[in-house]
Amino acid sequence: MNLTPLEGLSSPSLAERYRMADPAVCGLFGSHPSNSQDWLGRADWLDRTEANRADRSQLASVLRAYQTRIGTHEAAVRAIDSLERDQALAVVGGQQAGLFGGALLIVYKALTVIQTAKYAEELLGRPVVPVFWIAGEDHDFDEANHVHIGSIEGQVKRIRIERPEGARHAVSRTELSSEQWAAAVEELSAALPDSEFKPALLDRLREQVADAPTLTIAFARLLSDWFGSDGLVLLDADDPALRRLEGSFFRRLIERNDEVEAALAEGDSRVRSLGWPVQAESAPGCANLFVHGDAGRVLLYKQNGRFADRRGEVSFERDELLRLADENPDRLSNNALTRPLMQDFALPVLATVLGPSEIAYWGQLGPAFARLEIEMPLIVPRQSFTYLEPGVVKLLEKYEVSPLDIIRRGDELKAQWLERQDQWQLEAKFAAVRERFAELYAPILDTVAQVESGLAKLGEANRDRIMQQIAYLQERAEDSVAKKHDAGLRQWDRMRFSLWPQGKPQERIYGAIHFLNRYGPDWLELWKQAPYDVTGGHRIVSE
């Protein structure tokens, strides 16, 4: 495995400054993963505050039950046992579910969680368990219902499942039919290029959706397939059994809601004072809690002493909401700004693995953690990669360009290459013709304008039509040149579609399923060998 740092891809951002250990930005978080003393300090704080979190035995029961639903791996069960008995700590990362595993960055996040847990275990000399927190409570179905692959035609294709009609419930509460799953698998089958690995891949997907699971369960089963043997423990934030453990913390968030709101506003101000935009601005009067009901999942605001949604369709007295926290906590859920607080209550979080956008809004949360007498866990940047496919490596060598060249200006370089193939110098010759024609035609325009003023516009229109015909002939001639070099142009497109599909990083577009179809299950093992970097960063990987 060859790894090369990909510099210059990330624009200046709060997350990038944090990754580089900028003291001012690190002050928003209170620690940095590059400092071993911060790991020791966090572990010590967790030990001292053990009684303030969810009961480990009850948590372990919830986790075991969920692993049974998605497919148990011995390594994951041993990790849960350790979390219960050995006072193990946890490294946590999470993501919204994704159809057929979602975007490649999810694989990289799970990988980073696993590697960070191993790193911390060696550093601290005590068990550290990797935990992946699936945000099944989120109700934005369109974020979860698709995956992108490279199709037979060589283009990026999106495979998706439409949201069922009705209220916008959490993804984990959105039922899907057997027909929907069958159609999605068949669409995937038709779009994926044939390979020796395709039949087994599709058969496994069909097995996992045979009982018409929710997107969250199907997603968890895939992640368990891919990383369960590495001890990755999976949980769903919307698991009713987990919610029952969280009821007391929901009560705390309700009772101290005004304090939390003020602290979030203070966090916004701190980020702005450093010159950075606020990633997830806290709204005045927002309770930063959702409630689930017949109308779907709705965000609550404080209005005249009550908690209600914007439309006034759902409304609770404070005591009613507290009773809900005590008796039906599964009807409540967090938003992005209170989920990190809940995560810290549910698990002994030594460190949390975050992507750039997540790091940006976690930078706002320091005052909220402090207001609730919680220390923020260590923030570990998710590792990012661009995979150089073997065929693409050969093309880069053939055309003497680098991956960064293709990413930054692939279309420009493609156009320049095609221009160099033009032995007839069409551009220069047609430009000369246009210039010479304009010179020859100018005196005619002057003359006809003198003959009759109304002829000037007619002459200009006539000139423009001739220019259009010259341009048309040039376009046809250039198309003919392009057709002569169609294979070469397709190769330029191949590099671009692989490294920078749809003008975005590879990891944000293609799903792991795209590469597993091309290169088989051993391709996933490649990433488990990637050297770990506690500060993340983007690296190019080739075999």
Side-chain angles (χ1 to χ4, degrees):
M1 171 182 280
N2 301 308
L3 292 95
T4 306
L6 185 56
E7 304 291 348
L9 188 60
S10 300
S11 58
S13 65
L14 186 150
E16 185 64 12
R17 296 315 306 162
Y18 171 77
R19 194 180 74 79
M20 302 302 293
D22 181 316
V25 173
C26 288
L28 296 171
F29 301 90
S31 62
H32 194 268
S34 63
N35 186 345
S36 60
Q37 291 302 312
D38 287 343
W39 291 89
L40 295 169
R42 174 65 178 176
D44 179 64
W45 184 85
L46 288 169
D47 289 340
R48 288 186 284 107
T49 57
E50 173 72 24
N52 297 339
R53 286 184 293 280
D55 179 79
R56 282 180 181 260
S57 179
Q58 294 179 34
L59 174 64
S61 295
V62 170
L63 295 176
R64 288 190 189 99
Y66 191 72
Q67 308 312 299
T68 300
R69 290 181 67 192
I70 63 175
T72 303
H73 284 264
E74 289 185 10
V77 173
R78 288 195 300 270
I80 296 171
D81 292 343
S82 179
L83 194 61
E84 179 181 21
R85 294 196 309 263
D86 303 332
Q87 299 298 98
L89 305 179
V91 170
V92 182
Q95 198 77 29
Q96 170 72 289
L99 179 64
F100 301 133
L104 193 53
L105 64 87
I106 295 174
V107 165
Y108 298 154
K109 180 171 279 189
L111 173 73
T112 308
V113 169
I114 293 166
Q115 290 187 326
T116 302
K118 291 178 180 177
Y119 169 86
E121 194 166 85
E122 293 177 6
L123 179 66
L124 300 178
R126 63 187 289 184
V128 180
V129 173
V131 178
F132 197 94
W133 178 298
I134 305 169
E137 62 194 356
D138 286 355
H139 59 274
D140 192 340
F141 193 81
D142 288 341
E143 284 189 0
N145 71 341
H146 62 274
V147 68
H148 289 95
I149 61 164
S151 69
I152 295 171
E153 296 80 16
Q155 301 293 320
V156 177
K157 180 174 178 59
R158 183 173 69 166
I159 310 296
R160 68 193 303 249
I161 289 181
E162 295 291 344
R163 183 179 71 84
E165 294 293 328
R168 298 177 68 84
H169 293 288
V171 172
S172 289
R173 306 183 189 203
T174 302
E175 299 294 331
L176 299 174
S177 67
S178 297
E179 291 75 17
Q180 284 178 291
W181 277 115
V185 174
E186 291 314 306
E187 184 182 2
L188 179 69
S189 175
L192 282 173
D194 288 335
S195 74
E196 61 180 296
F197 310 108
K198 181 176 174 179
L201 180 65
L202 292 173
D203 285 346
R204 183 57 178 157
L205 291 177
R206 290 188 181 100
E207 288 177 16
Q208 292 179 333
V209 302
D211 58 346
T214 63
L215 269 176
T216 305
I217 290 293
F219 173 76
R221 287 171 177 169
L222 258 184
L223 279 191
S224 182
D225 255 14
W226 294 343
F227 295 110
S229 60
D230 299 289
L232 184 67
V233 177
L234 295 159
L235 67 84
D236 179 2
D238 199 47
D239 184 346
L242 180 64
R243 282 285 182 250
R244 286 193 286 273
L245 289 183
E246 298 172 340
S248 62
F249 197 79
F250 275 123
R251 168 174 274 273
R252 193 175 177 190
L253 290 173
I254 295 164
E255 290 175 336
R256 303 182 65 177
N257 201 269
D258 289 344
E259 294 179 62
V260 172
E261 180 190 348
L264 291 173
E266 181 184 341
D268 292 357
S269 297
R270 287 188 183 182
V271 170
R272 289 195 185 95
S273 71
L274 295 178
W276 301 105
V278 173
Q279 180 72 24
E281 188 168 5
S282 58
C286 182
N288 297 292
L289 293 171
F290 285 88
V291 67
H292 300 271
D294 293 339
R297 181 179 183 244
V298 294
L299 185 61
L300 297 177
Y301 291 84
K302 290 168 283 190
Q303 300 174 4
N304 302 318
R306 298 179 66 86
F307 291 83
D309 71 308
R310 284 293 199 197
R311 297 180 179 180
E313 296 176 353
V314 176
S315 181
F316 298 89
E317 293 282 358
R318 182 173 179 273
D319 287 345
E320 290 178 305
L321 201 60
L322 288 170
R323 189 159 54 249
L324 209 61
D326 294 338
E327 300 175 3
N328 301 103
D330 59 309
R331 288 195 59 197
L332 297 173
S333 67
N334 303 103
N335 73 348
L337 298 177
T338 56
R339 183 183 295 152
L341 302 169
M342 180 63 80
Q343 174 179 288
D344 217 83
F345 169 77
L347 294 155
V349 183
L350 175 66
T352 188
V353 172
L354 303 176
S357 296
E358 294 169 310
I359 291 175
Y361 76 73
W362 272 66
Q364 305 161 219
L365 302 182
F369 272 91
R371 196 66 58 93
L372 295 179
E373 299 85 38
I374 307 172
E375 283 189 6
M376 189 181 291
L378 283 136
I379 307 300
V380 176
R382 172 180 60 78
Q383 298 182 93
S384 292
F385 302 99
T386 294
Y387 176 60
L388 280 186
E389 300 180 73
V392 172
V393 172
K394 294 178 181 178
L395 292 177
L396 292 170
E397 293 172 349
K398 175 180 178 179
Y399 292 103
E400 299 182 334
V401 291
S402 71
L404 193 56
D405 288 334
I406 296 298
I407 289 170
R408 280 183 165 173
R409 52 195 189 99
D411 290 340
E412 175 189 345
L413 291 172
K414 171 185 169 184
Q416 291 175 358
W417 174 84
L418 181 60
E419 186 177 339
R420 291 195 297 272
Q421 311 315 304
D422 177 13
Q423 60 182 295
W424 301 276
Q425 298 182 321
L426 294 175
E427 176 62 38
K429 289 181 177 177
F430 274 97
V433 167
R434 284 192 295 270
E435 182 179 355
R436 183 62 178 147
F437 171 72
E439 291 176 358
L440 291 170
Y441 204 78
I444 295 176
L445 285 179
D446 291 340
T447 300
V448 297
Q450 293 175 22
V451 172
E452 183 180 332
S453 60
L455 293 176
K457 287 187 177 180
L458 179 61
E460 291 171 357
N462 187 53
R463 177 201 59 198
D464 293 343
R465 280 195 293 271
I466 295 172
M467 285 291 197
Q468 289 171 1
Q469 288 300 310
I470 294 172
Y472 173 73
L473 181 59
Q474 180 180 353
E475 182 180 341
R476 290 295 301 273
E478 289 175 344
D479 283 347
S480 295
V481 172
K483 287 177 182 177
K484 291 179 183 294
H485 299 282
D486 185 59
L489 292 174
R490 285 200 304 270
Q491 290 174 342
W492 279 95
D493 289 340
R494 170 83 175 99
M495 290 187 284
R496 184 72 166 172
F497 289 146
S498 176
L499 299 174
W500 200 245
Q502 297 185 340
K504 295 179 182 178
Q506 181 192 79
E507 65 182 23
R508 292 191 170 276
I509 299 298
Y510 290 126
I513 212 82
H514 165 86
F515 294 99
L516 290 169
N517 179 66
R518 286 174 180 263
Y519 305 110
D522 288 345
W523 180 83
L524 200 57
E525 297 302 313
L526 170 74
W527 300 104
K528 299 179 183 181
Q529 303 166 19
Y532 176 66
D533 187 338
V534 75
T535 60
H538 199 118
R539 289 176 284 175
I540 292 201
V541 176
S542 60
E543 299 181 60

